[in-house]
Amino acid sequence: MEGAGSVTGDSSRAARLQQARSYLHHADPVLARLIDDQPDFDPRAWMAQLPPMDLYGALLFQVVGQQLSVAATRRILARIQALFGGHLPSPAELLAEDPGKLREAGLSWRKISTLRDLAGRLEDGRLNSDVLSSLPDDELMAQLTAIPGIGPWTVQGALIIALQREDVVLPGDLALRKAVQLAYQLDHVPSQQEVLAIAEKWRPYRSLATSYLFSAAFEPAEAPPVTSRET
């Protein structure tokens, strides 16, 4: 019966993906070309290269990636995993670790402070992962960006990775802005507001549209959301 449930779930996901593709194909001729060019595109295939992540893990991943290249982010992530026996730490595990060890793994003191602050709030009940995961995108954004060192890009990435939200775009991501410039043949790197204006026609499937743009412009290993310039 487990297998049957899995097949049903896979079928449902495939149907939703096809619906989203069809919507975007009709909504935006630029995306229609990208979709036609990649008929077998899997927007979450790049996730197979990453460790399993719950909400805290995805936020940790995003914080690590702030202002870093994909390659540098993954090197530091691998060191953090090694420090915790091959997995990403839970909030309690991170709080129990010597911050100096995290610094040796490649994290800045600012990022360590952010991750410990977030972990502390999750451990003492000021924040609750299950409650956060049930919130609408904008409310979740408001809760988490109140923490110093966590900005919109960090939360947007976690919305895609951990919560698989369908209508997320990362206008502050320099790599996405360059991908938009390339796909739409602009003579400049678009501003965040320009990206948001273009993305209006993608609603309610902005996450999938974003994935197509990254895939068209970069190697699959550099899919979102690990190319941030968020400070």
Side-chain angles (χ1 to χ4, degrees), residues 82-102:
L83 191 59
F84 292 95
H87 64 272
L88 294 181
S90 67
E93 288 173 328
L94 185 121
L95 289 171
E97 184 55 78
D98 176 2
K101 295 290 187 182
L102 295 170

Side-chain angles (χ1 to χ4, degrees), residues 136-212:
D137 294 356
D138 56 348
E139 292 183 28
L140 179 61
M141 178 75 69
Q143 291 269 345
L144 291 175
T145 54
I147 299 170
I150 294 182
W153 177 89
T154 297
V155 181
Q156 288 156 352
L159 284 169
I160 292 174
I161 293 172
L163 304 184
Q164 301 185 33
R165 298 290 173 88
E166 293 185 334
D167 194 34
V168 181
V169 66
L170 295 84
D173 191 305
L174 180 60
L176 176 63
R177 290 163 60 199
K178 288 182 176 179
V180 170
Q181 179 188 9
L182 179 66
Y184 290 81
Q185 300 181 345
L186 305 179
D187 61 3
H188 63 286
V189 177
S191 67
Q192 294 192 37
Q193 287 305 314
E194 286 175 302
V195 171
L196 287 172
I198 290 170
E200 273 301 307
K201 64 174 72 75
W202 308 339
R203 289 181 182 272
Y205 301 114
R206 290 184 296 174
S207 300
L208 180 60
T210 296
S211 295
Y212 269 107

Side-chain angles (χ1 to χ4, degrees), residues 4-227:
S6 176
V7 169
T8 301
D10 289 344
S11 175
S12 176
R13 282 191 293 274
R16 289 199 304 273
L17 179 58
Q18 184 53 44
Q19 179 182 354
R21 277 200 192 105
S22 178
Y23 180 92
L24 292 172
H25 196 282
H26 286 92
D28 187 336
V30 172
L31 283 179
R33 176 174 54 80
L34 299 183
I35 291 168
D36 289 342
D37 287 347
Q38 302 180 78
D40 300 319
F41 178 65
D42 179 356
R44 296 188 68 80
W46 63 279
M47 287 283 291
Q49 305 171 37
L50 303 174
M53 296 180 196
D54 59 10
L55 181 59
Y56 182 71
L59 289 165
L60 181 149
F61 176 58
Q62 289 293 100
V63 169
V64 170
Q66 291 171 3
Q67 299 183 295
L68 295 179
S69 69
V70 173
T73 299
R74 293 190 176 181
R75 282 195 298 271
I76 294 173
L77 202 68
R79 293 187 203 121
I80 293 173
Q81 286 179 260
L83 191 59
F84 292 95
H87 64 272
L88 294 181
S90 67
E93 288 173 328
L94 185 121
L95 289 171
E97 184 55 78
D98 176 2
K101 295 290 187 182
L102 295 170
R103 182 70 186 93
E104 291 173 10
L107 285 174
S108 68
W109 287 116
R110 182 188 65 79
K111 291 181 180 180
I112 292 167
S113 175
T114 295
L115 291 171
R116 286 180 60 83
D117 187 355
L118 174 60
R121 295 177 192 227
L122 289 166
E123 278 299 288
D124 67 18
R126 283 176 289 167
L127 292 176
N128 178 283
S129 288
D130 291 337
V131 173
L132 288 171
S133 297
S134 70
L135 293 176
D137 294 356
D138 56 348
E139 292 183 28
L140 179 61
M141 178 75 69
Q143 291 269 345
L144 291 175
T145 54
I147 299 170
I150 294 182
W153 177 89
T154 297
V155 181
Q156 288 156 352
L159 284 169
I160 292 174
I161 293 172
L163 304 184
Q164 301 185 33
R165 298 290 173 88
E166 293 185 334
D167 194 34
V168 181
V169 66
L170 295 84
D173 191 305
L174 180 60
L176 176 63
R177 290 163 60 199
K178 288 182 176 179
V180 170
Q181 179 188 9
L182 179 66
Y184 290 81
Q185 300 181 345
L186 305 179
D187 61 3
H188 63 286
V189 177
S191 67
Q192 294 192 37
Q193 287 305 314
E194 286 175 302
V195 171
L196 287 172
I198 290 170
E200 273 301 307
K201 64 174 72 75
W202 308 339
R203 289 181 182 272
Y205 301 114
R206 290 184 296 174
S207 300
L208 180 60
T210 296
S211 295
Y212 269 107
L213 283 159
F214 272 101
S215 178
F218 302 99
E219 292 297 320
E222 296 188 5
V226 289
T227 49

